[in-house]
Amino acid sequence: MSDFLPGLEGVPATKSAISYIDGEKGILSYRGYPLETLAANSSFEESTLLLLNGELPTQKALDDFKQELRQNYRIKYHIREMMRHFPHDGHPMDMLQTAVSSLGMFYPGTECLTGADSCEDLDYVRNMTVNIIAQMAPLVAMWEHIRYGWDPIQPRSDLSVAENLLYMFTGKEPDPLMAKIMDVCLILHAEHTLNASTFAALVAGSTLASPYSVISAAIGTLSGPLHGGANQRVVGMLQEIGSPDNVEAWVDAKLKNKEVIWGMGHREYKVKDPRATILHKLVEKLVEERGGALDDMFETALKLEEVCADRLGHKGVYPNVDFYSGILYSEMGIPEDQFTALFAVARSAGWLAHWREQIANNRIYRPTQIYVGSEMRDYVPINERS
Ligand code: COA
């Protein structure tokens, strides 16, 4: 019997051509293109097509895809009505998981999946992929209004995914710099090899469950604080620390109590996460745009990065993607509990790319276990038990 490796560290669970990480050098690429290149030149829509199909699209393919997405921004009336009945203090990730799994009832049709599906040839796979990617952001933005008792803002089919997301959040014409930053954030969060939520998506997909069940499983998995949920915790942590002067004592106390520092460390990276480096630069750009004054939260974050490099660098623990994304979203006026939901909006692209790869050459996931329970024993009637 093979050894058990907790957390399946280093155990390959699939073959994939979608993305690649070199954790020693701090490299992440989508389909062979460095993330930095995509962040500088691409859009969320283009990067999504790259992830889904393996190649950069032609102008026509990109225009058609944008058009299809925009035609799918509107959310069905019954889903909206259902959302009105959710508890108003419900977490956006719970809302999103419930809404996405409910969408599956409105767009049925798994019966055509065989487990050897050439995804591009199947209208069902194409349509559901577009439908899910298009509807994630409007669902998240709608919740921002519904939970306070307001009618949601209707999506606009002349806007990109990032622009429409900001528009539906605020009701205002999106500021071009904010829209660009949001677009880059979506690209950066779109895919990341076989992380916990993508693995959950693969396991669900391997049963030939519907893509709505697949994405719902992935959203639930992303919500945990050791995964996507960390970005929400980072801002709370920085607020708790309060000022750069408090960082050293705060870190030392946490480490003494064996507590984790949110937004630090990653199973794959032994250096600073390349996404954190890009996000760090975006925060600097925003600061510059606003006249150069660092706010307390950013200054505290910079000091925290420095102190953690000193205390945890020898363990390969450096800022991950969640460290700076929360600061950016805060600066955009997005409430903290929505940060992980924004991560999910972007990651729907990667989850669906992996789902398509899985169902094109499927075998159901059925790992084994090492049994450590009791030997066979006799059943004792309840009145004879002590
Ligand atoms: N704060 C303090 N110490 C940390 C740490 C953190 N954020 N991340 C890792 N470490 C330490 C561990 O305590 C461990 O130390 P030890 O060898 O002395 O026991 C060592 O670094 C290795 O960490 P380990 O927990 O084995 O790594 P992992 O691969 O199992 O876990 C994470 C990876 C992401 C779950 C972990 O780094 C973490 O909990 N980070 C904070 C949550 C977070 O930001 N998640 C978002 C990930 S994108």
Side-chain angles (χ1 to χ4, degrees):
M1 188 180 292
S2 42
D3 286 341
F4 165 56
L5 295 173
L8 299 184
E9 180 168 3
V11 178
T14 192
K15 288 184 177 179
S16 177
I18 299 170
S19 63
Y20 169 78
I21 294 173
D22 182 330
E24 300 292 334
K25 295 190 182 135
I27 292 172
L28 170 61
S29 60
Y30 295 171
R31 302 279 191 185
Y33 294 95
L35 192 65
E36 294 75 7
T37 307
L38 295 172
N41 300 290
S42 188
S43 62
F44 175 63
E45 286 84 346
E46 185 185 68
S47 296
T48 296
L49 272 186
L50 172 68
L51 290 168
L52 292 173
N53 300 334
E55 297 298 334
L56 287 169
T58 61
Q59 186 66 56
K60 175 161 185 344
L62 179 58
D63 291 344
D64 289 350
F65 182 60
K66 283 183 182 169
Q67 191 60 23
E68 279 183 277
L69 285 175
R70 291 168 188 208
Q71 282 164 357
N72 277 269
Y73 284 166
R74 286 188 62 208
I75 304 292
K76 284 198 183 266
Y77 169 79
H78 289 296
I79 298 283
R80 204 169 72 218
E81 282 308 293
M82 180 184 74
M83 288 167 70
R84 287 188 206 280
H85 296 279
F86 289 168
H88 285 191
D89 56 356
H91 194 281
M93 287 297 276
D94 292 330
M95 175 287 298
L96 191 60
Q97 186 179 26
T98 309
V100 168
S101 80
S102 309
L103 282 175
M105 286 190 272
F106 291 93
Y107 302 96
T110 43
E111 65 280 357
C112 58
L113 295 181
T114 64
D117 299 293
S118 176
C119 297
E120 273 319 288
D121 299 340
L122 281 178
D123 283 347
Y124 167 74
V125 172
R126 272 184 52 73
N127 294 344
M128 296 307 98
T129 301
V130 168
N131 181 262
I132 293 172
I133 294 171
Q135 305 224 321
M136 296 281 287
L139 283 171
V140 171
M142 280 166 62
W143 184 236
E144 198 47 38
H145 300 276
I146 291 177
R147 67 173 165 173
Y148 295 113
W150 299 101
D151 276 332
I153 291 166
Q154 287 302 309
R156 269 180 41 191
S157 58
D158 60 325
L159 298 178
S160 69
V161 171
E163 289 165 342
N164 186 55
L165 175 57
L166 290 176
Y167 170 71
M168 288 184 69
F169 251 105
T170 61
K172 294 187 195 130
E173 199 63 34
D175 169 82
L177 176 64
M178 292 300 161
K180 175 66 192 156
I181 290 177
M182 179 56 77
D183 195 50
V184 174
C185 287
L186 293 178
I187 295 172
L188 298 184
H189 287 86
E191 161 61 9
H192 206 229
T193 75
L194 203 56
N195 51 81
S197 57
T198 303
F199 187 43
L202 281 196
V203 174
S206 79
T207 70
L208 302 187
S210 88
Y212 297 94
S213 298
V214 167
I215 300 305
S216 158
I219 294 170
T221 310
L222 184 71
S223 68
L226 295 188
H227 193 6
N231 59 7
Q232 179 179 347
R233 309 244 170 165
V234 169
V235 169
M237 172 184 76
L238 294 172
Q239 284 163 347
E240 182 189 320
I241 298 173
S243 113
D245 297 339
N246 302 335
V247 168
E248 285 200 67
W250 187 91
V251 169
D252 289 337
K254 287 281 162 189
L255 295 182
K256 196 166 163 225
N257 290 336
K258 303 228 170 295
E259 290 179 51
V260 293
I261 316 292
W262 301 110
M264 290 283 162
H266 199 281
R267 174 71 58 81
E268 292 290 311
Y269 296 111
K270 298 304 159 219
V271 294
K272 187 168 174 176
D273 182 332
R275 300 166 299 173
T277 304
I278 299 172
L279 288 165
H280 185 161
K281 287 185 188 146
L282 284 179
V283 184
E284 281 174 347
K285 190 173 163 110
L286 199 58
V287 167
E288 193 185 303
E289 196 69 25
R290 291 180 172 171
L294 293 186
D295 69 10
D296 269 2
M297 200 190 288
F298 186 37
E299 271 196 89
T300 306
L302 291 177
K303 181 72 184 171
L304 185 57
E305 179 174 352
E306 184 192 313
V307 173
C308 284
D310 179 60
R311 311 292 202 269
L312 294 167
H314 65 286
K315 295 184 183 179
V317 175
Y318 289 97
N320 61 46
V321 67
D322 294 318
F323 192 68
Y324 286 108
S325 63
I327 301 177
L328 265 181
Y329 294 146
S330 290
E331 295 290 340
M332 288 176 173
I334 291 168
E336 281 161 42
D337 66 350
Q338 289 277 22
F339 295 172
T340 318
L342 294 185
F343 191 155
V345 167
R347 188 54 61 83
S348 62
W351 289 331
L352 287 162
H354 282 273
W355 169 66
R356 288 156 63 122
E357 203 172 55
Q358 179 67 32
I359 61 167
N361 192 12
N362 191 54
R363 188 161 189 220
I364 191 168
Y365 276 94
R366 201 338 178 166
T368 190
Q369 62 168 19
I370 296 169
Y371 181 63
V372 294
S374 124
E375 300 280 311
M376 289 294 184
R377 46 189 170 158
D378 294 331
Y379 179 84
V380 181
I382 196 161
N383 56 355
E384 292 173 23
R385 288 176 215 157
S386 51

